[in-house]
Amino acid sequence: MQFRNLGRSGLRVSLVGLGCNNFGGRIDLEATRKVVDAAIEHGITLFDTADIYGERGGSETALGEVLGARRKQIVLATKFGMDMDAEGVKKGGSRRYIMNAVEDSLRRLKTDWIDLYQLHRPDPLTPIEETLRALDDLVRQGKVRYVGCSNVVAWQVADAQWTARDLGIPGFASAQDEYSLLKRGADKDLIPAIAHYGMGLLPYFPLANGALTGKYKRGAAMPEGARLTKLPERAGQIFSEDNWRRIEGLTAFAEQRGHSLVELAFSWLAAQPVVSSVIAGATRPEQVAANVKAADWALSAEDLAEIDKITA
């Protein structure tokens, strides 16, 4: 396993991180335990969850149950800000909500601190300075070590970092956003902003919801039980004519070099200087092992240039 700093911070994280969105929902406690065991065995240290995962609190609760004393061995990341009740009250980035949300997450996770606490999405109703000051207070209290954001655009990154500088407090150390060989919109503005401010990118959906696993073929029936088979609307968005061309071109590129499409997807992300850790979910131990192995292919500058042409 390779390790990298989270942006310019001193926090070291594994190049492949474990996305914990399946815990407490798609898989039960025993299956969660097996995935967590496999992740630690394969050198994964970054475990990324959110209060909303697992039907509101289920993922954090499951992690709290299975980690035990191993909590000290990992970098535990969670998020806040999404709707945690049906009334739309428990959400957002206000001081009032953050101070309650962190206590709930700490209780569910059975820990005294969170290594990386992330704003899950921007809150247009709360000034960013209020959110940042509240998060800084949590850092000073020792309940949070680093703070990050997710699902932001470039101007929001700049606004937050300038605000933090003006307040004299640490800004966001990382940004977590969707980024893959099929989803490269971040290249235009977001990634240059993240790089400029010394933040680490934590890309999620590295396999584009499974479209880059190689299991889907143009003109063939959708695989039974597969993620996109169960999400026909999402599948319709992903499997455009342009994306089929990209998938087929990338598959050929990988196979010509003795690799799989999955290995290409992970290794391409690992080759991006701004990426600190690739967040990948798993429901079985063998998926964890495959994800870790997939990031080992060292792509050359010529490889990356050809991939750019395929995905243009």
Side-chain angles (χ1 to χ4, degrees):
M1 176 64 70
Q2 300 178 47
F3 293 87
R4 294 181 178 178
N5 284 53
L6 185 68
R8 287 187 197 145
S9 80
L11 182 63
R12 299 281 284 175
V13 294
S14 53
L15 177 56
V16 177
L18 180 65
C20 304
N21 54 307
N22 295 310
F23 301 167
R26 290 185 68 196
I27 61 175
D28 61 19
L29 189 63
E30 187 54 37
T32 296
R33 191 183 308 278
K34 292 177 180 178
V35 170
V36 168
D37 290 348
I40 293 175
E41 178 184 344
H42 284 87
I44 290 176
T45 60
L46 179 60
F47 285 61
D48 180 77
T49 187
D51 55 9
I52 194 68
Y53 293 165
E55 299 178 8
R56 294 175 177 158
S59 175
E60 290 183 333
T61 299
L63 266 178
E65 288 293 324
V66 304
L67 280 174
R70 298 177 298 179
R71 161 67 187 97
K72 296 180 180 179
Q73 302 174 24
I74 69 163
V75 175
L76 185 55
T78 192
K79 311 180 200 71
F80 69 93
M82 295 287 196
D83 294 42
M84 286 294 284
D85 63 2
E87 295 74 29
V89 174
K90 295 182 177 181
K91 66 175 183 179
S94 69
R95 170 178 289 276
R96 178 179 182 276
Y97 179 64
I98 290 172
M99 294 305 179
N100 289 327
V102 73
E103 297 298 339
D104 290 341
S105 287
L106 290 169
R107 173 178 48 78
R108 288 189 291 261
L109 290 164
K110 294 186 176 181
T111 185
D112 295 326
W113 81 97
I114 293 164
D115 293 295
L116 178 63
Y117 200 39
Q118 304 157 98
L119 175 65
H120 208 155
R121 66 181 177 194
D123 178 6
L125 301 179
T126 302
I128 190 62
E129 54 263 34
E130 179 178 335
T131 300
L132 289 169
R133 281 192 182 278
L135 292 173
D136 184 55
D137 285 346
L138 294 181
V139 173
R140 293 173 184 275
Q141 293 168 13
K143 295 177 180 179
V144 169
R145 301 287 167 82
Y146 298 86
V147 299
C149 56
S150 182
N151 299 308
V152 293
V153 295
W155 74 261
Q156 291 168 326
V157 167
D159 183 39
Q161 300 303 69
W162 269 99
T163 300
R165 185 179 301 179
D166 186 55
L167 296 173
I169 61 177
F172 293 130
S174 62
Q176 188 171 154
D177 290 271
E178 183 175 1
Y179 189 51
S180 72
L181 283 166
L182 295 186
K183 185 80 171 182
R184 296 191 58 177
D187 284 330
K188 183 179 179 181
D189 296 312
L190 180 61
I191 287 179
I194 290 172
H196 177 75
Y197 290 106
M199 300 165 64
L201 178 64
L202 302 175
Y204 64 82
F205 292 164
L207 298 177
N209 285 120
L212 294 170
T213 59
K215 67 176 68 171
Y216 301 94
K217 305 296 181 184
R218 190 203 298 255
M222 297 287 280
E224 186 176 349
R227 179 188 292 267
L228 287 174
T229 304
K230 300 176 181 178
L231 300 170
E233 185 175 340
R234 177 69 168 160
Q237 296 170 352
I238 292 177
F239 292 125
S240 64
E241 182 61 30
D242 281 343
N243 274 346
W244 274 125
R245 174 185 57 78
R246 294 182 180 103
I247 291 168
E248 290 164 355
L250 292 167
T251 301
F253 175 92
E255 291 178 348
Q256 288 165 8
R257 291 157 178 80
H259 290 276
S260 68
L261 183 58
V262 170
E263 290 173 321
L264 177 58
F266 274 83
S267 296
W268 177 80
L269 285 170
Q272 308 307 308
V274 75
V275 169
S276 294
S277 183
V278 181
I279 305 298
T283 56
R284 303 188 309 276
E286 52 267 32
Q287 289 177 330
V288 174
N291 290 343
V292 171
K293 180 179 181 297
D296 287 343
W297 181 8
L299 295 163
S300 68
E302 292 75 16
D303 289 335
L304 293 171
E306 186 169 344
I307 292 167
D308 284 343
K309 292 179 182 178
I310 295 171
T311 58

